[in-house]
Amino acid sequence: MLVPWNDRYATGIDEVDFEHRELVELVNRIHDTYVESNGGAPAIAALFGDLNRAIAAHFALEEHHMRAAGYRALPAHKADHERLLDDLRDMMDAHEAAGTRVDAAELGRALDAWFSVHFGTHDAKLFKAIGHHP
Ligand SMILES: [Fe+2]
Ligand SMILES: [Fe+2]
């Protein structure tokens, strides 16, 4: 498993935690499918699509909570969201253009780096600041 669930990803906001678990599951599924098929599984494009939609919706939800709380670090947090979405789109484009040539280890590193780091820093800070962190 690429990104095992970690309780520090929990925020205490049920809908956000539900989505964090869902995202971790999707990332692991896409990575496993990628490794098993060496990037050749027809399901990969659909999984990328699912991940992209789930992430975009999740970021919108978090940004809603940040605005509602008047959260000062919103611009930096939102900028990291934009960066993650750009990276994901680049990955999807590369996968489409190259067929099977996106390196699975590289994909794994990129996905893990996003999620572990973003969840553990920006998200953790946010929920600590707005008082929902357990
Ligand atoms: Fe998040
Ligand atoms: Fe976030």
Side-chain angles (χ1 to χ4, degrees):
M1 191 181 287
L2 180 69
V3 187
W5 174 258
N6 185 318
D7 279 339
R8 77 195 170 96
Y9 301 153
T11 64
I13 299 176
D14 287 347
E15 55 183 355
V16 173
D17 289 347
F18 178 82
E19 290 187 356
H20 275 181
R21 284 180 188 276
E22 204 173 54
L23 291 178
V24 165
E25 214 178 279
L26 259 172
V27 163
N28 285 322
R29 199 180 317 147
I30 211 170
H31 181 253
D32 291 350
T33 308
Y34 218 94
V35 170
E36 280 158 20
S37 68
N38 198 22
I44 288 170
L47 286 171
F48 267 132
D50 290 346
L51 183 62
N52 191 35
R53 270 189 300 279
I55 287 179
H58 174 68
F59 288 171
L61 176 70
E62 273 186 6
E63 287 160 22
H64 161 81
H65 280 286
M66 287 191 261
R67 270 189 300 272
Y71 184 57
R72 288 252 215 83
L74 190 153
H77 193 138
K78 195 173 184 329
D80 204 50
H81 284 171
E82 310 284 339
R83 187 180 62 83
L84 300 185
L85 278 172
D86 280 353
D87 284 357
L88 180 60
R89 283 192 201 104
D90 286 349
M91 256 180 237
M92 291 167 79
D93 288 348
H95 177 73
E96 231 152 76
T100 64
R101 267 173 280 143
V102 179
D103 182 60
E106 198 180 303
L107 177 81
R109 267 194 305 275
L111 292 173
D112 181 42
W114 286 357
F115 283 95
S116 319
V117 175
H118 183 86
F119 281 20
T121 58
H122 287 280
D123 284 0
K125 220 170 90 189
L126 163 67
F127 293 107
K128 212 178 244 169
I130 64 180
H132 290 98
H133 207 275

